[in-house]
Amino acid sequence: MNTTDPADRVGSGPPTSAPLVLRFADIGAESLPEVGGKAANLGVLAAAGFPVPPGVCVTTEAYRRVAAGAGLEEVLAALDATPPDDVPALGALATRARELVLRAPVPDDVADAVRREAQGPVAVRSSATAEDLPDASFAGQQDTYLDVTGADAVLEAVRSCWASLWTDRAVTYRAAHGIDHRSVRLAVVIQEMVRAEAAGVMFTANPVTGRRHEAVIDAAPGLGEAVVSGAVNPDRFVVDLATGRITERRPGDRPPAVRSAAGGAPRPGTADAGTTAAHDGTTNDGTVGAGTAETGPCLTDAQVTALAALGGRVEAHYGAPQDIEWALDGDGTLWLTQSRPVTTLFPIPRHLPGEEPDGDAGPRVYFSINVAQGVYRPFTPMGASAFRLLSAGAADLLGFPVRDRMAGAPVLAEAAGRLFADVTGVMRSRAGRAVLPRLLDVMETRSARVLRGLAGDPRFSVTRRSVRPALLRAARVVVRHRIPARIAEALVNPPAARRRAERLARELPARFASPPGAASPDRLDRVERTLGSRAIRAMPSFLPAPATGFALLGLARLLLGDRVRPGELQAVLRGLPHNVTTEMDLELWRLAGRIRADGDAAALLLGVPAAELAGRFHDGSLLPAVAEGLRGFLAAYGMRAVAEIDLGVARWSEDPEHVIGVLANYLRLDDPALAPDVLFARGAAEAERMIRTLAARAGLLRGPVVRFALGRARSLAGLRELPKFYMVSVLAAMRAELAAVGADLAGRGLLARPDDVFFLTFPEVRKALTVPGPGPVTRPGSPAVSPVDPAGSPAAAVAERRAEAARELRRRHLPRVLLSDGTEPEAVASAAPADGALTGVPASAGTVTGVARVVLDPVGAHLTPGEILVCPSTDPGWTPLFLTAGGLVMEMGGANSHGAVVAREYGIPAVVGAARATELIATGRRITVDGTSGTVVAS
């Protein structure tokens, strides 16, 4: 929750000398605390010379004084204690708050100030202090009243606007966005009516495709409330702002037009109309307004282009895409009645200054690294900085040395705390275009489809036709790292290949650690060297074995041809041995079995919150039967975490709450037939039977080759998780080094707490180590220290980045491919699933019907045995949930992505790459997952 100064809290303090009413001319962007977002924007537009209908703002001081007498404290205390997902409770409290505000007396000076502004028909519009913000627009959360005439009617409309700060939708919106209800106040705009012949809404960037500088205009005859409220299907125009060309026209419905009508009673709009229309199309005496059924577009081409040009100027003034409400009066004058930032657009990825890739000019193609790695949340600044160092090492390995190792490979870009790779050069290369989509076919199929769709775009035509440079670079890597010899070893002696790779994965990370007592600058040097070169040099040692296994699986597919049915080759990979992540999950299951046998231990895990048990584990007071088993598990797997490729994320050894929660979840599984080890063994037996079946089906000559190929595939394919396990182990070791540096900086007063170091970058940490500190600071649990030296202390930057990370964690949509003009190609090409079916990529054969459980974050999640897990993506931190899942639906991934592989190994049907699954499927809904056809349907 946001903290606020006591003087700014709802209903606090006696009357002050603050103004009760301000003219638009007296309002600027800095006036937001006094006038709210809507009025602040109108003041900015008016001051800049844009056509804004005249008006005034009844300031938040008036609301504060009314709220002070409303008796809201009890409701506010209850709201503080109500979880954001308890919608019924929030709604009941919102109703109570509205009633209190509506009954509160209005001080005489406030009432007089409002009545003085009641000149002619006006619109009375709410303007809250927490709206039209960069990360939350709050559009439509409070009320607007239209065509209001008469002093008493205007005062009543203002009172109703104050009460609308407590609508159910406004309260739940604030709760969902973590905005303190006590910190929000409401101002009210009283604005001259526009007698509109046409009105509507304009976005200066396409809100569906994300394309910047493309205006999308919705328009309807008369007043614009019907457009905003969705009561009509409006005319739609799409305009290229750079050229003024209208690229799309779509006529809307033509019901009777809603016109403004004089009268005395306020008429509510269902949302913030922007234009000044009633939502129901009636006059004050209940009759239909002056509109009649009309035909043809409500705007001429000249009016459309003029409106788009006006929108372009507004966008240029604010420096960001805008959501604009407008009206066209009978004289042909365009009016702006509101402009707010478009908060739903995903930011365009940006390279570090001076680090843009060399090569072709023109639009760029960005591929989401977060999506490819199954990490939905933003990276910490240190995690992103570490990834840049790793990318520099990878570029060196592939023969592309970088200019600045701290900046990483030039292809790296960042947006919204997520990492992207600029793959424009790959798309323009004949070799890259052939290889990249095929790689993505088995790890992120939806991305592969998007990139193949871009192949026909002339902006990304092939300019590098020769494959010789790529082959030469690949040959150098193959020779330097003895890849043929390692492939031969994997073919001839799989156990030896496995032992060597597993030994390296376990031993190398420990070699990278600093000696005890190392100084902070030395630790930082070691981390930078390890991530920048040493760690990556070992990667080719891990890849040949699993690559050989999947190559042999492909050989078997080729030899079988049409003799193999859908899902049968996937069955060969069930119960796959030698997978370090599967072994981790089964070890956790065995630990749950030992705890189950101890009645006291089982009761403890089932009866005490995981967070409390994690605290007991660290302070040594946890029941020994649980503590010893947990300690053993963490000794082997404590380097893992959810979103573990982010070095800034705490490891399970630091915070075992998630592991403890999973153990409790396992204890709830009481059907022996559904035990994970039983399912795993059953899957392995089915895989061996399928190998025999397919070998027999292949025929006398091909059968032995198919049997050999599939047998080797089972022996080697499970090692696909080992490279990531190695890299995660390295990241955990380097995190420990940086934690020691953070403790040093905190001890010197430069950070409030040691883990603040993960909200800095490597150069920032190095700079901080040179700054003299003010001395010891208050430890965690006390207020954060203010920087003694603002120019040298990183404390302010850390606080700002933590707040930004909290906002980004609420972002629901993450594009997998994005163009440099903001276009999301998948959004352009996507269509609604036929007949209500959700389609994706078949990942694990079989069909299951069950209750859906939508999980956005596995930490603390509980999955009742048999429930179908619906999630954005997965990494190994998710897989303990698979042991009790009846099926899997995942928005991201391909047939060989992590979630797909684990689902096959556990024998649960799975569909991956199912767009918007977490939005379209609700928890508790009964669905059928067909992992063979790749469909999900309601049942």
Side-chain angles (χ1 to χ4, degrees), residues 324-457:
I324 296 169
E325 294 164 12
W326 57 271
L328 178 72
D329 68 16
D331 297 328
T333 301
L334 286 169
W335 296 93
L336 301 179
T337 56
Q338 176 60 341
S339 183
R340 60 172 65 88
V342 183
T343 58
T344 56
L345 295 173
F346 194 88
I348 297 172
R350 303 294 183 194
H351 298 271
L352 292 181
E355 294 299 324
E356 295 81 0
D358 297 327
D360 304 295
R364 315 298 297 181
V365 182
Y366 294 102
F367 167 68
S368 172
I369 294 172
N370 282 66
V371 167
Q373 290 295 320
V375 178
Y376 203 73
R377 58 182 293 151
F379 274 75
T380 60
M382 183 59 76
S385 194
F387 206 97
R388 290 185 181 278
L389 273 176
L390 288 169
S391 74
D396 282 349
L397 182 70
L398 297 174
F400 298 99
V402 302
R403 294 186 294 267
D404 180 356
R405 304 191 73 78
M406 286 298 168
V411 297
L412 274 188
E414 196 167 345
R418 279 81 174 183
L419 292 174
F420 288 79
D422 185 334
V423 295
T424 313
V426 176
M427 292 297 295
R428 289 185 171 279
S429 161
R430 179 183 168 197
R433 186 175 285 197
V435 172
L436 181 60
R438 285 181 172 84
L439 289 176
L440 293 175
D441 279 336
V442 295
M443 62 181 292
E444 227 302 296
T445 305
R446 282 169 61 190
S447 295
R449 285 200 296 261
V450 173
L451 292 177
R452 285 193 175 98
L454 289 175
D457 190 325

Side-chain angles (χ1 to χ4, degrees), residues 716-905:
L716 298 169
L719 295 176
R720 71 178 294 277
E721 289 288 310
L722 198 58
K724 185 172 186 179
F725 179 82
Y726 158 74
M727 189 53 65
V728 167
S729 299
V730 171
L731 290 175
M734 297 303 99
R735 177 179 167 85
E737 299 287 335
L738 289 168
V741 176
D744 179 14
L745 291 173
R748 293 162 51 192
L750 294 168
L751 294 177
R753 57 195 200 195
D755 65 350
D756 281 351
V757 73
F758 300 111
F759 283 84
L760 302 173
T761 64
F762 284 108
E764 290 169 340
V765 173
R766 188 167 295 282
K767 179 180 178 182
L769 288 173
T770 68
V771 176
V777 298
T778 305
R779 287 298 169 209
S782 299
V785 65
S786 298
V788 173
D789 176 11
S793 171
V798 168
E800 182 179 339
R801 291 170 186 176
R802 283 189 179 276
E804 177 63 22
R807 287 192 294 270
E808 279 299 331
L809 282 171
R810 297 194 292 266
R811 189 183 292 275
R812 294 293 299 271
H813 176 66
L814 181 60
R816 53 197 3 92
V817 177
L818 199 64
L819 304 187
S820 54
D821 66 355
T823 302
E824 188 178 341
E826 190 175 34
V828 175
S830 64
D835 301 324
L838 187 63
T839 59
V841 177
S844 181
T847 302
V848 63
T849 299
V851 173
R853 170 75 61 180
V854 178
V855 179
L856 302 180
D857 186 341
V859 177
H862 296 291
L863 208 65
T864 301
E867 286 186 324
I868 296 171
L869 174 62
V870 182
C871 59
S873 61
T874 65
D875 64 10
W878 287 76
T879 53
L881 294 174
F882 286 38
L883 295 184
T884 53
L888 170 69
V889 179
M890 199 164 73
E891 290 186 328
M892 303 171 185
N896 201 28
S897 60
H898 174 269
V901 170
V902 176
R904 288 195 295 269
E905 291 173 3

Side-chain angles (χ1 to χ4, degrees), residues 73 169 432 467 571 575 584 602 612 614 683 689 904 921:
E73 278 304 319
R169 60 185 183 271
V467 299
M584 175 190 74
E612 181 180 336
R689 285 195 297 272
R904 288 195 295 269
I921 299 172

